[in-house]
């Protein structure tokens, strides 16, 4: 019914008296999108379409100006199309006359459909966003980003631990933003009330700018994300935001495994050893093995273009790339090791959450040898300790 077909159908009904019309109310995009963003439509709000196909643009401008002056939370439909590339920018310019540039906004794309995405950002940032007709955006103050006494939590995640922390906060009604590097990381957080994924890799300066809107920060990145963790620590110091490191427990190395200090050291160790190599270390480490015969190498990476491109740059034949999303069971690991006649499995100590035990068992059962890249030295706390700190 809202910007839908009910109105036109009722207009046409006069020419089809034999047809019975029934309008079934549903959850419109404004409400569905608000739920994804944390339900910001708490009081009076206005819904405005930026499409000027049926409404002249001067009328839309007036409505935006009046709604901005009236301090309504706004939900904008049809924000941009191929023929209307600047309507969202023009709308933001009108609203910036009444609201500050750091007013919290959000957009949701493909609401309730496959490929749903969303993002929280400021009104100033929204002005530069490129969205489409499948996107609805809201401008207001979602819970957790306005008011006194509400914790503002930022989690740098993309790991099982980060997801578990987000789930625990969601169950307790504590909103949080979770910064993840990829869309896959955001998908794993979908459906958690009050949890807002922020997709994209960030520099230390960008992290510090992001942290300025939060009270506490949790580094729940991968145990081997040494550079990212260093950037998070630097950003928190710069922004004056307290930080805790959420870290999974390390594993005991199995007898007979070879310990390497880095992917480069592992590659050097395998230079004089024969046999196919399964690289279960992520796409970033593949380039370290470029000195080996690429026909020997079988990288197992995430099924995203970024990972596939890294493999191609390293000269890996397409037939050797195993693009799969974990976790991997022991039997699946065994099947892969047998299928590709793997003699060496290069892996990191991902702990139980990273399926390290399943890799060890699979290697033992198939006769493959393990080369384990050691963890960087890092101090961290478990989930219960970090959760208690966040809630304190």
């Amino acid at each position: 019914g809202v910007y839908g077909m009910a109105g036109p159908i009722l207009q046409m009904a006069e020419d089809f008296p034999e047809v019975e019309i029934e309008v079934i109310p549903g959850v419109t995009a404004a409400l569905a999108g608000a739920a994804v963003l944390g339900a910001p439509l708490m009081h009076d709000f206005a819904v405005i379409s930026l499409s000027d196909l049926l409404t002249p643009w001067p009328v839309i401008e007036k409505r935006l100006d009046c709604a901005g002056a009236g301090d309504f939370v706004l939900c904008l439909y049809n924000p941009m199309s191929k023929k209307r590339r600047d309507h969202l920018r023009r709308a933001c310019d009108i609203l910036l006359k009444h609201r500050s540039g750091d007013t919290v906004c959000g957009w949701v794309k493909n609401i309730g459909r496959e490929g749903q995405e969303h993002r929280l950002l400021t009104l100033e940032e929204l002005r530069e966003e490129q969205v489409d007709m499948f996107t609805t955006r809201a401008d207001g103050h979602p819970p957790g980003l306005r008011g006194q006494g509400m914790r503002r939590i930022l989690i740098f995640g993309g790991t099982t631990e980060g997801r578990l922390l987000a789930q625990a906060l969601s169950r307790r009604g504590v909103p949080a933003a979770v910064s993840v590097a990829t869309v896959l990381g955001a998908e794993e957080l979908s459906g958690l009330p009050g949890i807002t994924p922020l997709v994209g890799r960030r520099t230390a300066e960008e992290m510090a700018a992001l942290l300025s809107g939060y009270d506490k920060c949790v580094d729940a990145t991968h145990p081997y994300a040494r550079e990212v963790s260093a950037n998070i620590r630097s950003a928190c110091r710069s922004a004056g935001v307290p930080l805790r490191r959420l870290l999974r427990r390390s594993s005991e190395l199995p007898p007979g495994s070879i310990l390497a200090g880095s992917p480069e050291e592992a590659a050097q160790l395998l230079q004089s050893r024969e046999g196919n190599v399964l690289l279960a270390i992520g796409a970033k480490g593949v380039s370290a093995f470029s000195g080996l015969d690429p026909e020997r190498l079988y990288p197992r990476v995430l099924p995203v273009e970024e990972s596939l491109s890294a493999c191609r740059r390293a000269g890996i034949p397409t037939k050797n790339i195993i693009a799969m999303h974990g976790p991997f069971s022991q039997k699946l690991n065994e099947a892969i090791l047998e299928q590709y006649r793997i003699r060496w499995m290069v892996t990191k100590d991902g702990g139980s959450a990273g399926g390290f035990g399943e890799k060890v068992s699979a290697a033992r059962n198939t006769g493959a040898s393990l080369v384990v890249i050691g963890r960087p030295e890092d101090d961290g706390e478990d989930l219960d300790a970090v959760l208690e700190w966040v809630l304190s």
Side-chain angles (χ1 to χ4, degrees), residues 15-245:
D15 299 326
F16 300 90
E18 73 282 3
V19 177
E20 181 180 350
I21 308 295
E22 180 182 5
V23 179
I24 301 175
V27 178
T28 187
L31 299 177
V36 173
L37 293 173
L41 306 182
M42 297 178 291
H43 301 292
D44 296 337
F45 65 94
V47 178
I48 299 176
S49 171
L50 299 189
S51 172
D52 57 0
L53 292 178
L54 300 177
T55 305
W57 180 251
V59 175
I60 297 174
E61 287 184 320
K62 183 177 181 180
R63 292 174 178 174
L64 289 165
D65 190 50
C66 290
D71 197 31
F72 283 97
V73 171
L74 289 180
C75 183
L76 301 184
Y77 279 60
N78 307 317
M80 189 180 294
S81 70
K82 291 181 180 179
K83 295 182 180 179
R84 297 181 288 103
R85 303 303 301 174
D86 65 337
H87 279 200
L88 180 57
R89 178 192 292 264
R90 292 163 69 181
C92 290
D93 287 339
I94 293 171
L95 296 174
L96 283 167
K97 293 189 295 183
H98 305 283
R99 306 187 184 188
S100 66
D102 62 358
T103 299
V104 177
C105 301
W107 58 254
V108 189
K109 181 177 181 179
N110 294 320
I111 301 171
R113 305 174 183 173
E114 184 178 353
Q116 177 178 291
E117 301 176 43
H118 69 280
R119 182 189 174 198
L120 283 179
L121 66 170
T122 65
L123 180 57
E124 193 66 48
E125 291 171 331
L126 183 66
R127 187 177 179 275
E128 306 298 328
E129 284 289 274
Q130 295 297 310
V131 295
D132 56 26
M133 291 289 286
F134 294 98
T135 306
T136 304
R137 45 90 53 181
D139 142 0
H141 304 275
L145 296 177
R146 183 184 189 182
Q148 300 298 319
M150 178 65 75
R151 306 176 190 88
R152 296 173 297 175
I153 311 300
L154 177 61
I155 303 168
F156 287 93
T159 59
T160 299
E161 290 73 26
R163 185 171 67 253
L164 291 174
L165 177 59
Q167 290 172 347
L169 292 175
S170 179
R171 286 194 300 269
R172 289 163 173 79
V174 179
V178 184
S179 177
V180 294
T182 66
V183 174
L184 281 175
E187 289 177 354
E188 292 180 342
L189 298 168
S190 63
L192 292 179
I195 302 302
T196 303
L198 306 175
V199 181
R201 303 183 189 280
R202 293 175 172 82
T203 63
E205 292 75 17
E206 291 169 336
M207 289 176 179
L210 178 63
L211 279 161
S212 63
Y214 295 91
D215 301 315
K216 292 183 177 182
C217 177
V218 176
D219 176 7
T221 58
H222 197 275
Y224 288 83
R226 183 182 308 178
E227 182 178 349
V228 174
S229 284
N231 285 341
I232 294 171
R233 287 193 297 271
S234 174
C236 285
R237 284 195 299 269
S238 176
V241 176
L243 170 69
R244 286 290 189 276
R245 176 74 161 120

Side-chain angles (χ1 to χ4, degrees), residues 263 278-286 288-289 300-301 346-348 359 371 373:
L278 175 66
L279 299 177
I281 56 174
K284 285 187 175 181
V286 173
F289 294 82
R300 188 167 69 186
V301 297
V346 182
T347 182
K348 297 176 179 178
K359 294 176 185 177
V371 178
I373 298 174

